[in-house]
Amino acid sequence: MSSNPVIEVQDLKVHFPGQHKNQPVRAIDGVSFEVSAGDFHAIVGESGCGKTTLARTIVGLQKATSGDILIRGQSITSLLKNRKTLARDVQFVFQNPLGALSRRQTVYQSLEEPLFIHRKGTAAERHRRVLELADLVGLPHNALDRLPRSLSGGQRQRVAIARALALNPSILICDEPLSALDVSIQAQIVALFARLQKELGLTIVMITHDLSVVREVCSSVTVMYLGRIMEANNTEQLFEQPAHPYTQALLSSVPSPDPRIESSRQRIVLKGDPPSPMNPPSGCRFHTRCLRAIENCKNAEPALQPQRPSGLIACHLV
Amino acid sequence: MLNKHSLSTLATWPWAVLTPVLLFVAIAIFALWISPYDPTTQNYSAVLQGSSWEHWLGTDYLGRDLLSRIITGAQVSLVAMSIVLIAALIIGVTIGSFAGYVGGKTELVLISAIDIILSLPSLVVALAFIGIIGPGYWSMIAALTMAWWANYARMSRAVVTSELHQPYIEAARVMGASHLHIFVRHILPHVLALVVVYASADAGALVLAIATLSFLGLGVEPPTPEWGQMLVDGMNYLEQYPRLVVLPGLALTLVVSSFNLLGEHFALKKVPRGLTQRHLKILKRLRAQEEARISELEASA
């Protein structure tokens, strides 16, 4: 896509031991994509398609079974030998902020912790940085002395984001940062992400299943299904002309605020649940639920190949 | 700082439960000053006396003042109990946390060893240990420590394994925190919070165990006054002078039951969160001071 990718995922596979020894759970089964600097990249898909595992693998919380992740050309396995260096460059925002913040630490202590771990500055300098971070994410100063349990959901997520930004990382990986929040708060946090990305020039990879959010803030999208990439494109192209039947089905589920479009929206309802990642279907993984599946879909797995005018797709029909 | 807030917090403390324990601790600490006689001085002209103005609780068969002996016995019990409890906590928390944190085969080996010790009654373990190293004050303390640490090890391990998989531990790891940092800053406070509460209930059982070993002649040696020891001494005079047995027994019963009450209270979390609230207030004040200092510095610069 671009000449200087910051994150390169190369044929990544992450398998978990399943109930049977020879039948591992294939959470991620051969995923490759690139994120270039300054991108706001979204990874979308149903629950259980391996999005979260992918995010965890990028920050090194999960070991890859095979394949590699390069961050600025350096392999994650070599980067993980020095976690502190990695931590200054890549940070992670968790799905549930209440769980991701220590329930015994005040907001101030939580925000100071990364600075403390990296021995950044004196106590006074750390203090100033914490106040700066609070301002950056729009957290009132009187919240600094509270414990996470006495904050609102939106404030908690702001604290978690501020903490992730404490070390001035250039890459932020967010694992469904909105799903634990109320809808009205989601909008604020989305706006916050968009602002932070512009102000700080961050590269953000956001795992989400909320397509309206993707459309609003993200610059490129990867659509995953059962541990594989179905389609990848820039946001505009993907929403205008979804090529993959799965993407089409996903997009048809997004209501439009425009009543004229909404009245003509045709909902494509997929039947059944996604198959088990322990025993994925032969050929194209989506063929069991695809409305347009042909004979070939059952037999051969389509490769991810470039499509016109931009992007990548894995489908026999295109 | 005694302000209105801390006073109202104090008022909500379970004084009925705390007082007996605090009284016991106070008596033990000030034993030297409040006991009217030296507890080991023998006085053959005043043997086996009843209560009088000279000897409030009477004297034993060697003419030693019973009240002084009970008071000093409290000190002996408290000191021995504290040493055992602290040693058992240190050993137990260290081994248990290590097992929980490292996991894998190391954990399996350690936890099996802990389970073997736990499967035996603690007093039996202590007796076996004394059988190996011989009786005496310090071997009693070593034996009781050996018998008691496994409990804390098991609890620490349980807390560590449950906390270790919390997302905030992963968050700290993503921040680049070392294992030592994660353990000391995030896991140890949880472990201590549980283990110390359990220890407060265990204290009573330990006092009883110390008395038991001394009663059997395996612990504190005469002439050091110790409640278990006093029970043995009084046994021969049980029919004529029952108070020689009843009074030390009563002291023992009161201490054990007051520690049990305290432990139960802690376990049911009836103790208010006053302490953490106050801690937060102090933090807030310190930050305000710091802020004022910084703004002053900036103004002058």
Side-chain angles (χ1 to χ4, degrees):
Chain A
M1 275 188 258
S2 170
S3 53
N4 57 336
V6 181
I7 306 171
E8 282 173 85
V9 178
Q10 297 176 342
D11 195 29
L12 183 72
K13 288 183 183 169
V14 180
H15 295 179
F16 295 107
Q19 284 151 330
H20 306 290
K21 264 217 169 130
N22 46 6
Q23 246 189 18
V25 177
R26 295 156 190 270
I28 299 176
D29 210 15
V31 160
S32 309
F33 68 93
E34 290 174 358
V35 181
S36 43
D39 248 6
F40 198 139
H41 191 87
I43 296 174
V44 298
E46 279 166 285
S47 3
C49 72
K51 297 172 297 193
T52 296
T53 311
L54 180 59
R56 290 169 56 88
T57 315
I58 295 175
V59 292
L61 283 173
Q62 179 67 52
K63 270 210 176 87
T65 310
S66 72
D68 202 0
I69 294 167
L70 306 182
I71 289 168
R72 292 184 212 292
Q74 269 186 294
S75 165
I76 190 93
T77 42
S78 68
L79 285 170
L80 275 175
K81 283 180 189 132
N82 190 348
R83 251 197 191 283
K84 281 195 176 165
T85 327
L86 182 67
R88 280 187 216 120
D89 200 21
V90 184
Q91 272 300 326
F92 194 59
V93 175
F94 285 82
Q95 181 169 10
N96 179 1
L98 190 57
L101 299 168
S102 170
R103 56 190 182 275
R104 283 173 180 272
Q105 283 184 323
T106 63
V107 172
Y108 185 87
Q109 288 169 325
S110 286
L111 292 184
E112 197 188 18
E113 192 173 14
L115 305 170
F116 185 77
I117 291 169
H118 289 260
R119 317 219 175 286
K120 284 250 167 113
T122 60
E125 280 165 11
R126 286 203 296 264
H127 179 87
R128 197 168 311 160
R129 176 71 179 145
V130 169
L131 297 185
E132 207 177 279
L133 286 169
D135 291 338
L136 186 65
V137 297
L139 197 69
H141 285 193
N142 64 14
L144 288 175
D145 292 306
R146 293 206 215 138
L147 291 175
R149 64 158 182 262
S150 50
L151 295 177
S152 70
Q155 282 176 328
R156 282 177 201 148
Q157 194 57 282
R158 281 173 202 269
V159 174
I161 294 167
R163 183 178 63 175
L165 294 172
L167 298 168
N168 276 321
S170 55
I171 302 169
L172 206 56
I173 315 287
C174 314
D175 178 19
E176 304 205 27
L178 307 170
S179 61
L181 305 174
D182 285 345
V183 178
S184 57
I185 307 298
Q186 281 184 3
Q188 294 174 12
I189 299 293
V190 167
L192 175 67
F193 271 120
R195 181 168 62 82
L196 289 174
Q197 200 234 356
K198 273 200 199 90
E199 275 179 22
L200 306 174
L202 296 172
T203 306
I204 302 184
V205 175
M206 179 143 76
I207 312 293
T208 183
H209 52 243
D210 191 336
L211 288 164
S212 44
V213 168
V214 173
R215 184 177 220 163
E216 196 168 329
V217 292
C218 296
S219 52
S220 54
V221 190
T222 296
V223 180
M224 280 181 73
Y225 181 79
L226 217 63
R228 296 278 295 185
I229 291 178
M230 294 288 117
E231 190 173 0
N233 212 332
N234 59 53
T235 312
E236 227 170 275
Q237 196 66 34
L238 189 101
F239 277 84
E240 301 253 308
Q241 291 174 329
H244 198 284
Y246 181 60
T247 316
Q248 288 165 0
L250 273 187
L251 292 185
S252 79
S253 70
V254 184
S256 170
D258 187 334
R260 268 172 300 178
I261 299 176
E262 179 64 15
S263 62
S264 64
R265 180 166 70 102
Q266 279 193 330
R267 183 89 166 84
I268 305 170
V269 181
L270 295 178
K271 288 195 182 77
D273 291 324
S276 160
M278 263 201 296
N279 187 15
S282 63
C284 175
R285 294 185 175 213
F286 186 54
H287 85 257
T288 50
R289 297 167 78 200
C290 185
L291 299 175
R292 286 157 55 193
I294 51 171
E295 197 53 37
N296 194 21
C297 294
K298 281 179 204 164
N299 306 324
E301 179 146 24
L304 197 63
Q305 47 194 302
Q307 61 167 323
R308 285 177 168 278
S310 66
L312 301 164
I313 188 164
C315 187
H316 288 306
L317 297 165
V318 181
Chain B
M1 278 254 298
L2 273 180
N3 53 31
K4 213 174 172 186
H5 174 78
S6 55
L7 276 180
S8 61
T9 315
L10 284 181
T12 56
W13 273 76
W15 284 112
V17 177
L18 271 176
T19 315
V21 172
L22 292 178
L23 203 65
F24 165 66
V25 173
I27 287 174
I29 289 171
F30 300 109
L32 212 60
W33 291 279
I34 52 174
S35 52
Y37 292 86
D38 182 89
T40 53
T41 308
Q42 304 174 357
N43 182 359
Y44 293 104
S45 59
V47 177
L48 294 169
Q49 285 188 347
S51 45
S52 62
W53 283 113
E54 276 89 60
H55 301 282
W56 287 6
L57 299 180
T59 58
D60 68 358
Y61 70 108
L62 292 172
R64 296 176 292 195
D65 182 51
L66 202 59
L67 179 63
S68 304
R69 284 181 72 74
I70 290 179
I71 289 173
T72 316
Q75 188 178 41
V76 173
S77 294
L78 183 79
V79 169
M81 177 201 74
S82 309
I83 297 174
V84 172
L85 217 49
I86 290 169
L89 275 179
I90 292 174
I91 297 175
V93 168
T94 310
I95 293 182
S97 307
F98 180 74
Y101 203 99
V102 174
K105 279 191 183 136
T106 321
E107 182 183 19
L108 199 68
V109 170
L110 284 173
I111 212 68
S112 314
I114 289 166
D115 277 341
I116 290 170
I117 295 175
L118 276 180
S119 66
L120 302 165
S122 45
L123 215 52
V124 172
V125 177
L127 283 174
F129 201 73
I130 289 177
I132 297 169
I133 61 172
Y137 183 71
W138 287 107
S139 66
M140 173 192 77
I141 284 178
L144 286 175
T145 307
M146 277 295 124
W148 245 263
W149 68 270
N151 234 326
Y152 301 120
R154 183 155 196 110
M155 264 188 287
S156 311
R157 179 214 161 236
V159 176
V160 171
T161 39
S162 75
E163 287 300 319
L164 206 57
H165 298 290
Q166 298 280 330
Y168 73 90
I169 301 290
E170 287 190 331
R173 201 154 282 162
V174 175
M175 280 187 265
S178 63
H179 288 294
L180 189 70
H181 176 96
I182 290 177
F183 181 70
V184 174
R185 286 270 295 228
H186 291 296
I187 296 180
L188 197 58
H190 289 274
V191 174
L192 288 182
L194 179 77
V195 163
V196 167
V197 163
Y198 192 84
S200 70
D202 239 10
L206 254 179
V207 168
L208 199 61
I210 291 164
T212 310
L213 288 180
S214 303
F215 184 85
L216 296 173
L218 300 171
V220 181
E221 282 159 346
T224 314
E226 205 283 333
W227 294 340
Q229 190 71 50
M230 290 165 75
L231 288 174
V232 186
D233 286 348
M235 286 290 272
N236 298 331
Y237 306 93
L238 188 59
E239 283 174 20
Q240 296 103 317
Y241 307 102
R243 64 190 157 75
L244 288 183
V245 174
V246 169
L247 291 175
L250 204 62
L252 197 56
T253 312
L254 284 178
V255 167
V256 172
S257 45
S258 57
F259 270 113
N260 280 355
L261 265 179
L262 181 74
E264 202 166 310
H265 227 77
F266 269 130
L268 295 174
K269 288 204 174 137
K270 281 181 181 166
V271 174
R273 306 192 80 97
L275 283 180
T276 50
Q277 284 298 330
R278 198 139 79 216
H279 179 65
L280 288 183
K281 283 221 155 156
I282 291 169
L283 273 182
K284 198 169 184 174
R285 207 180 61 230
L286 287 179
R287 279 212 329 95
Q289 280 171 4
E290 178 81 346
E291 230 160 292
R293 211 171 54 84
I294 287 171
S295 58
E296 220 169 85
L297 278 176
E298 275 170 355
S300 66

